[in-house]
Amino acid sequence: MRLFFYLFILVVAICYTYIAFVDLTFFTNRGRMGPGFFPRILGLAMVIAMLLVILGDIKKNTLFSGTQDSQYKDAAVLIGFSLTFGVLLMVFGYVVAIPAYIGATLFYFNRGKYVTNAVVVVAVPVVIHFLFGSLLNASLPHGLWW
Amino acid sequence: MEIFDNLLMGLSIAITPMNLLYLLLGAAIGMMIGAIPGFGPSAGIAILLPVTFSMDPISAVMMLAAIYYGAMYGGTITAILLNTPGDSTTVASTFDGFPLAKQGRAGPALVMQACASFTGGTIGVILITLLAPMFAMVTRSFGPPEFFLLCLMGILTLVALMSGNWILGLVSALIGFALGTVGVDLETGHQRFTFGSTELIGGIHFIPVAIGLFGIGELFHAFYSGAHKSGTGGIVQYQNEERFWPTKKDLRESKFTMPRNAVLGFCIGLIPGAGATIASLMAYSLEKSLSNTPRKFGQGEMRGLTAPESANNAASSGAMVPLLTLGIPGSASTAVLLAAFIMWGLRPGPLLMADNPEFAWGLISSMYLGNMALLVISIFAIPLFVYIIKAPYRILAPLVLVVCVMGTFSVNASMIEVFIMLGAGVIGFLMKRFGFSPAAVVLALVLGPMAEESLRQTLIISRGSFDIFFLRPSSVYIMVFFAAVILSGILLNAYRKKANIQGAQA
């Protein structure tokens, strides 16, 4: 997992640097700092620093540690639920998405506590509606069909 | 005399019923957030920032500041009762706090930590009152070169003082700076890294990134580390205690410990990037070295608890000085506070105290009242906080996530920002897992655009020459000062490692 994360950052840093060199100029026509001045320096520094990090981990033999870690399972499930919640919120709005998300999360992580889970599933959307919608007069996501 | 007049003016603003209500609310919420393991003041302020939109700016900033120092009080409760620091700033409090609780002295330990936090916080605010106007006067002569150096040095200090791998800290800071370059370049009008998206033209907003990295990232990490499985009910070291109050001996032993470590903590808090964690660990080491019975430290010595508590609260006050007088945040929490100030149309910096005295002095005065309120809340609401930390994490986590999502959406009614926040949450979790620094990302995201703008102005003034940094005396002083700070970072890290080892042995 560590290796994948390092590679992800390295690839993003390389793409950032590429765009900074190709699309953005270092100086303006007047010889002042151009839009690419900062990004080019940052991009190069990021690529070099990430390479140093990866080399350092290869030296210390820690690059592949933790790849078989089973602890990721619960975090991955929660991340999956959360991203699905984002999509549900965009499509169906908070009235559907919040109970669905809370219900799914509690069903998975808090098994057997049916009464508690049911109370939370009902109470949270109501509290959110009154807190954000009524008390704070803030926008709430109503979805595409509202 | 002018200071007292200003302070009275500030008190007259802070003491209105609505402001007092928000102050108390902020203090109580801050304590609750601090009491939840993993949630620090930065997460608390970031999550609740959107909730303050409908408020008057001064009330909102007072409430957010109260959340900031309230979380410093609350973080210790879990350190004492669960041996789990609420935030990194309370790591040192576990060394003697938890042994005290195991000896059946959780009540006296909690009361003494409240007294130490109050002493640290109040001495810190007194020092802000005395020093902030002087700082503002000195920094009025600062120009773009000095601001650029302060931005750069602030982030470099944070990186240099990181306890783990400093290259990972540097990468984190670079990621933050890079995120700050997204959007339209103000000098040329050229779009950078927007990929044609109209939502990104204004840049990546700070709030979703901060909420994602601190709030959501912490939640994911807690599930990774299994916090949702264990619950906390079984290991809370607190019952309705008969011997709740500290003894005279406890008070006598700590009477000099609290003020001296408050001054130490405040001085460390003044240095951008240093922060309350280092202050608390240094205070612990200092108190141990001054003690005639150093062997008692780590086994339930009250001074081992009051010293770091006093220092970390004073450091959080100290960090407000560069924020108010320079507009430069020294920590992730003050970076989030800076975002709040800017959102309310207030620009912290050398002119803040002259241009917006009612805001600056209202905030400072509210901190006196806030500390008093927190002392009372933290002593008399202990059973309530014990109840909160017994709440299972697996139920708390989805609720917090829903509040984060709704809060982020309510800022600009943008689903893109919700997805940026969720993405930042995943990245924040992996960063924490692999030793990167989410705090450096957030600090650099705030400081990056400021650094770029001031560098641009500097190079225009100097006609493209970097010599200007060596020709202006104030620039040279700043560079020398920060070189000393960064070099001393090695010593501070040695202190921290030593204290950690001692804590682990204890």
Side-chain angles (χ1 to χ4, degrees), chain B residues 344-419:
Chain B
W344 292 115
L346 298 156
R347 189 76 182 88
L351 297 175
L352 180 78
M353 298 196 115
D355 291 349
N356 295 92
E358 69 291 342
F359 164 76
W361 288 103
L363 177 62
I364 291 171
S365 306
S366 76
M367 290 172 77
Y368 284 99
L369 302 173
N371 274 297
M372 282 186 237
L374 278 164
L375 178 67
V376 177
I377 294 172
S378 54
I379 290 176
F380 293 102
I382 284 170
L384 174 70
F385 292 111
V386 171
Y387 183 75
I388 290 168
I389 60 177
K390 278 182 176 174
Y393 212 87
R394 55 187 173 271
I395 294 181
L396 216 54
L399 308 188
V400 173
L401 193 132
V402 168
V403 172
C404 290
V405 168
M406 293 302 142
T408 303
F409 182 84
S410 66
V411 179
N412 291 317
S414 162
M415 275 312 292
I416 293 273
E417 289 190 355
V418 170
F419 285 108

Side-chain angles (χ1 to χ4, degrees), chain A residues 110-141:
Chain A
N110 199 35
R111 277 178 203 176
K113 307 276 171 66
Y114 300 111
V115 179
T116 312
N117 294 353
V119 169
V120 176
V121 167
V122 174
V124 173
V126 175
V127 171
I128 291 287
H129 175 80
F130 281 104
L131 178 68
F132 284 90
S134 303
L135 195 68
L136 300 170
N137 204 21
S139 318
L140 284 167

Side-chain angles (χ1 to χ4, degrees), chain A residues 82-133:
Chain A
S82 306
L83 295 177
T84 313
F85 173 48
V87 176
L88 285 178
L89 203 62
M90 189 172 67
V91 179
F92 297 110
Y94 76 100
V95 177
V96 175
I98 294 178
Y101 168 70
I102 301 267
T105 314
L106 293 183
F107 177 77
Y108 186 85
F109 291 111
N110 199 35
R111 277 178 203 176
K113 307 276 171 66
Y114 300 111
V115 179
T116 312
N117 294 353
V119 169
V120 176
V121 167
V122 174
V124 173
V126 175
V127 171
I128 291 287
H129 175 80
F130 281 104
L131 178 68
F132 284 90

Side-chain angles (χ1 to χ4, degrees), chain A residues 2 8 16 24 28 32-35 53 69 71-72 74 78 82 86 89 101 109-110 124 136 140-141, chain B residues 51 167-168 178 181 187-188 190 192-193 220 224 228-229 394-395 399 401 405 409 415 419 433-434 456:
Chain A
R2 183 187 292 269
F8 168 73
Y16 178 88
L24 307 170
T28 62
R32 291 179 179 175
M33 256 175 74
V53 168
D69 216 329
Q71 281 179 291
Y72 280 112
D74 282 353
L78 185 66
S82 306
L89 203 62
Y101 168 70
F109 291 111
N110 199 35
V124 173
L136 300 170
L140 284 167
Chain B
V51 176
I167 303 184
L168 293 179
T181 60
E187 169 87 4
T188 59
H190 200 291
R192 302 189 292 191
F193 310 105
F220 294 158
Y224 166 79
H228 62 296
K229 282 180 186 161
R394 55 187 173 271
I395 294 181
L399 308 188
L401 193 132
V405 168
F409 182 84
M415 275 312 292
F419 285 108
R433 171 80 189 90
F434 298 123
R456 188 166 269 155

